[in-house]
Amino acid sequence: MQPEDGSKKDVIVVGAGVVGLSTAITIQERGGYRVTIVAETLPTDPRTIHYTSHWAVSSRSSNFTSRSTGIQGSTPLTFTEVDRETFERMWNDSEPDGPLSGCFFRHTHTDFRGDDVDPTEWLGYMPDFRTVPQNELVPGSTHGWSFTTFSLHPSVYLNCLLGRFLTNGGTVVRARLQHISQAIQGGITALPQQPNGVIVCIGLGARFLGGIEDKDIFPIRGQTIVLKAPWVKYGRTLSSVDGLCSYIMPRATGDVLIGGTKVANDWFPVPRKEDRDDILTRVLALCPELAPPDVRAERTPTIDDLRFLIIDEGCGFRPGRKGGVRLETEWFEGGGGTKIPVIYNYGHSGMGFQSSWGFASIVLRLLEDALKNCESRDTRED
């Protein structure tokens, strides 16, 4: 049984991207908490370079988890476990007759690789996982794997998460924090003035928020294109030996997301023509079937045949971080000499969607451990 509302603890989640929303819902569904999200930008807003989640590729495949990325902080879980927990939750949500089925599109994905990475360790549990025979490899690849997965439409999914949070009694406050103390000690009228805990899920914003100003955070620019190609019902990825990744990701709408680029410390906020042409060239080589069937029936397609299919393009800044994801608790002074736990959950690079629920579970454990420490300290002082 959940406690009466008056005995619930107040938790503020800073940030309303996929990591912030997933974290807020996880804490909320635990019971015993009143959760408030504070953010400058929400999923319902027009797309902006300041909100990364709208631009995400958002398909579960091997190229979006960097095995070299670490976690700053103490956690007993590995990246494989975090990813797997997230996949299993999203897989259940993607059931064709489920309440969130409109957000997802299940399909076969083939991951071709020209490097020496073997993703079997962290992809072997995927449905229908198999090794691709040599005679099915595409140019530029030396090995590959195929499995059943899903893609999702970021803006639709984010709004579903926001709706779930609000329906369950959550509160959203639109505000721009200039310093983390404004969440800890009050100062934003609509926020709880004495929260029991604060969770920071602001991605690249951690570089600029006063009291944190984490200079280890940096942008990893990614540019993508959306084609209208409803005849393509499968996904493909090609990871080359030089680290370049090309991909096609179908969506339930009949659109296909293609990409991409991955350039660290590139702050250019709009699509570049040269990147567009490079992406079109790479994905056409990876999947000639992207061209309209009538064109392919008559001649070899060119990237000009794909230009007519473009319905959208954009770029976003993945929140990269030296040292990996920051996942730890820091104690700040609250009002009246109290100590307030601030838990960090940011720096997920390009894997925010695919690890969101797994990291949210860890944050919940960190929060509950911190609050137990508060209760123990209060008991000792009494």
Side-chain angles (χ1 to χ4, degrees):
M1 176 181 292
Q2 293 186 10
E4 295 297 324
D5 191 69
S7 63
K8 289 186 176 181
K9 294 179 171 62
D10 281 304
V11 175
I12 296 174
V13 175
V14 185
V18 67
V19 174
L21 289 168
S22 302
T23 300
I25 290 170
T26 298
I27 296 170
Q28 182 185 62
E29 291 180 346
R30 177 68 175 87
Y33 298 98
R34 279 188 302 265
V35 185
T36 301
I37 292 175
V38 57
E40 182 178 7
T41 306
L42 302 174
T44 50
D45 293 341
R47 292 181 304 179
T48 168
I49 195 65
H50 303 294
Y51 184 84
T52 301
S53 291
H54 271 156
W55 303 105
V57 173
S58 307
S59 179
R60 179 60 170 89
S61 61
S62 64
N63 60 301
F64 299 111
T65 297
S66 171
R67 297 298 124 178
S68 62
T69 301
I71 300 176
Q72 178 183 324
S74 174
T75 171
L77 291 182
T78 65
F79 270 106
T80 299
E81 292 170 310
V82 169
D83 288 355
R84 184 167 185 168
E85 179 179 343
T86 305
F87 174 78
E88 289 175 351
R89 176 152 183 170
M90 287 185 170
W91 182 257
N92 290 333
D93 286 342
S94 72
E95 286 287 346
D97 297 325
L100 296 182
S101 60
C103 300
F104 297 88
F105 179 67
R106 289 186 177 184
H107 61 275
T108 299
H109 185 93
T110 305
D111 181 33
F112 298 102
R113 306 199 72 102
D115 54 25
D116 59 357
V117 174
D118 182 348
T120 304
E121 176 186 351
W122 69 89
L123 280 179
Y125 63 83
M126 298 291 286
D128 308 313
F129 182 84
R130 70 179 183 91
T131 300
V132 175
Q134 288 291 312
N135 63 352
E136 296 181 15
L137 296 177
V138 299
S141 65
T142 57
H143 49 297
W145 291 266
S146 177
F147 46 89
T148 301
T149 185
F150 55 78
S151 59
L152 59 86
H153 196 298
S155 61
V156 176
Y157 180 70
L158 292 165
N159 278 286
C160 285
L161 292 183
L162 179 60
R164 178 189 294 182
F165 175 73
L166 293 172
T167 299
N168 290 338
T171 301
V172 174
V173 175
R174 186 191 294 274
R176 179 182 180 183
L177 299 183
Q178 296 177 304
H179 196 281
I180 190 61
S181 64
Q182 293 173 327
I184 299 168
Q185 300 177 358
I188 305 296
T189 303
L191 291 180
Q193 297 301 290
Q194 186 69 36
N196 299 94
V198 176
I199 318 297
V200 178
C201 307
I202 52 175
L204 201 61
R207 183 180 178 93
F208 308 103
L209 181 60
I212 299 177
E213 298 174 283
D214 187 345
K215 299 309 179 185
D216 287 333
I217 280 280
F218 62 94
I220 304 175
R221 183 180 179 275
Q223 182 167 323
T224 58
I225 302 169
V226 180
L227 305 179
K228 194 65 177 179
W231 53 87
V232 177
K233 305 291 187 183
Y234 52 84
R236 285 182 183 172
T237 305
L238 174 61
S239 301
S240 62
V241 68
D242 59 2
L244 192 63
C245 183
S246 307
Y247 48 82
I248 64 168
M249 306 292 181
R251 291 175 173 171
T253 56
D255 304 337
V256 178
L257 183 73
I258 64 172
T261 64
K262 187 177 181 180
V263 184
N265 292 304
D266 184 348
W267 292 88
F268 195 73
V270 295
R272 290 189 177 100
K273 178 184 182 303
E274 56 268 33
D275 288 337
R276 179 191 311 126
D277 291 347
D278 179 57
I279 290 170
L280 292 173
T281 299
R282 287 189 278 123
V283 298
L284 184 60
L286 174 61
C287 183
E289 296 85 0
L290 280 170
D294 58 334
V295 171
R296 287 183 279 116
E298 295 182 358
R299 56 179 172 79
T300 301
T302 69
I303 63 171
D304 288 332
D305 297 310
L306 299 187
R307 294 186 199 278
F308 292 104
L309 305 178
I310 296 176
I311 58 175
D312 194 16
E313 63 180 331
C315 68
F317 297 148
R318 306 175 184 94
R321 186 173 184 275
K322 298 175 184 177
V325 178
R326 190 177 186 188
L327 190 70
E328 60 182 349
T329 303
E330 185 174 2
W331 294 86
F332 282 77
E333 293 288 341
T338 60
K339 292 286 187 178
I340 306 297
V342 174
I343 300 170
Y344 301 111
N345 184 20
Y346 65 81
H348 299 81
S349 188
M351 64 181 192
F353 276 81
Q354 81 168 58
S355 64
S356 53
W357 293 112
F359 279 118
S361 293
I362 300 175
V363 168
L364 176 59
R365 289 196 290 273
L366 292 175
L367 174 65
E368 299 205 313
D369 288 345
L371 295 181
K372 287 178 183 177
N373 289 336
C374 286
E375 293 173 357
S376 298
R377 183 169 59 246
D378 291 343
T379 300
R380 291 194 299 270
E381 291 176 354
D382 292 342

